[in-house]
Amino acid sequence: MLKKESSNETKFKLGGRFVFFATNNINKFNEARAILTKYNISVAMLRVKNSELQNDSLKEIAQTSALEIFKKYNLPILLEDSGLFIDVLNGFPGPYAAYVYKTIGNSGILTLMEKKTNRTATFKTAIVYCNSKNNFKCFEGEIIGEITNKKIIDPSISGFGFDPIFQPTGSPKVFAAMSIAEKNLFSHRARAMHSFAIWYKQHSK
Ligand code: IMP
């Protein structure tokens, strides 16, 4: 909630349960908001440019970026970093998924996976909440699934990134064919976000 400090002042003060999700990805934001609103946590999207560290650990990437953004804006920040780990490729692209997506994309992944029978892959997320220079906490989530044999190209389906080629175990659909509510029943992000929300409700006034 935004509260006015006094009737004459134009300054606003943050109160209640309010966090800023630092991301440029509207899909990630919509998925996160759908979960956080169930816990009565208000969330705003903070579009930021930060120097994303290259590191083998999603947690370290998220922690470094969250701290950098907190220092700049002095707001309670949520920052997440995700990676796709494909078993038969020894965990590639892992935390380098964004670069791989930009360069070879889903078609490139499908080419690397041609004739591979083991198609198991895991999506992982680290979410960091940071509300002071020395206070941050990390929440992780993952989902195991399979890389499909071909990209599903259907104009009616949504999703982003690797959604068209990732099918969680136990679901007949790829992520891209799911609504936000359906994807949130399975996804790495949703799992980490629920852990954050439960913790946050216990620790915020
Ligand atoms: P990021 O660095 O956390 O933004 O994500 C790494 C890469 O994985 C990016 O190319 C994202 O588009 C992709 N990605 C992250 N989360 C998801 C998801 O839930 N579904 C599909 N692709 C995702």
Side-chain angles (χ1 to χ4, degrees):
M1 276 314 128
L2 284 171
K3 281 193 201 147
K4 230 177 172 181
E5 262 186 357
S6 86
S7 53
N8 294 331
E9 284 180 345
T10 48
K11 272 192 205 159
F12 287 86
K13 208 176 186 181
L14 292 168
R17 296 189 166 116
F18 205 111
V19 295
F20 290 82
F21 188 15
T23 182
N24 290 315
N25 185 326
I26 187 71
N27 299 288
K28 283 187 179 187
F29 175 73
N30 287 337
E31 289 175 18
R33 185 173 52 185
I35 291 173
L36 296 178
T37 50
K38 288 195 178 143
Y39 292 87
N40 287 325
I41 301 169
S42 306
V43 58
M45 181 172 175
L46 185 63
R47 287 187 181 273
V48 285
K49 268 206 174 140
N50 73 305
S51 44
E52 195 178 288
L53 171 86
Q54 294 295 307
N55 192 293
D56 286 349
S57 156
L58 295 174
K59 200 171 160 179
E60 293 221 352
I61 298 170
Q63 271 177 8
T64 308
S65 301
L67 194 56
E68 186 182 320
I69 294 164
F70 174 80
K71 282 185 187 156
K72 202 164 165 191
Y73 295 95
N74 200 24
L75 292 168
I77 298 295
L78 260 191
L79 191 133
E80 73 104 88
D81 197 59
S82 298
L84 179 66
F85 299 76
I86 303 176
D87 282 17
V88 78
L89 304 180
N90 297 324
F92 178 87
Y96 305 98
Y99 180 72
V100 170
Y101 182 77
K102 263 185 251 152
T103 49
I104 61 170
N106 285 334
S107 314
I109 296 280
L110 292 178
T111 306
L112 291 173
M113 292 296 285
E114 255 169 32
K115 302 203 175 86
K116 304 276 193 238
T117 48
N118 175 3
R119 307 195 68 88
T120 306
T122 307
F123 249 129
K124 297 185 187 180
T125 281
I127 293 179
V128 168
Y129 174 70
C130 179
N131 68 348
S132 92
K133 261 188 248 170
N134 305 311
N135 193 12
F136 43 82
K137 190 150 173 69
C138 185
F139 305 86
E140 292 174 273
E142 61 178 60
I143 174 71
I144 298 176
E146 292 207 337
I147 302 297
T148 53
N149 281 309
K150 56 176 183 306
K151 194 157 54 174
I152 298 169
I153 306 163
D154 173 343
S156 69
I157 65 171
S158 55
F160 67 98
F162 303 104
D163 278 351
I165 61 165
F166 185 84
Q167 184 166 345
T169 305
S171 165
K173 295 178 185 175
V174 290
F175 271 163
M178 296 183 189
S179 64
I180 288 180
E182 280 177 292
K183 185 176 170 188
N184 276 346
L185 295 176
F186 294 94
S187 91
H188 47 309
R189 179 168 307 101
R191 289 177 175 178
M193 205 52 81
H194 280 295
S195 304
F196 160 71
I198 291 164
W199 172 86
Y200 182 79
K201 287 214 77 158
Q202 284 166 355
H203 292 85
S204 64
K205 285 174 218 134

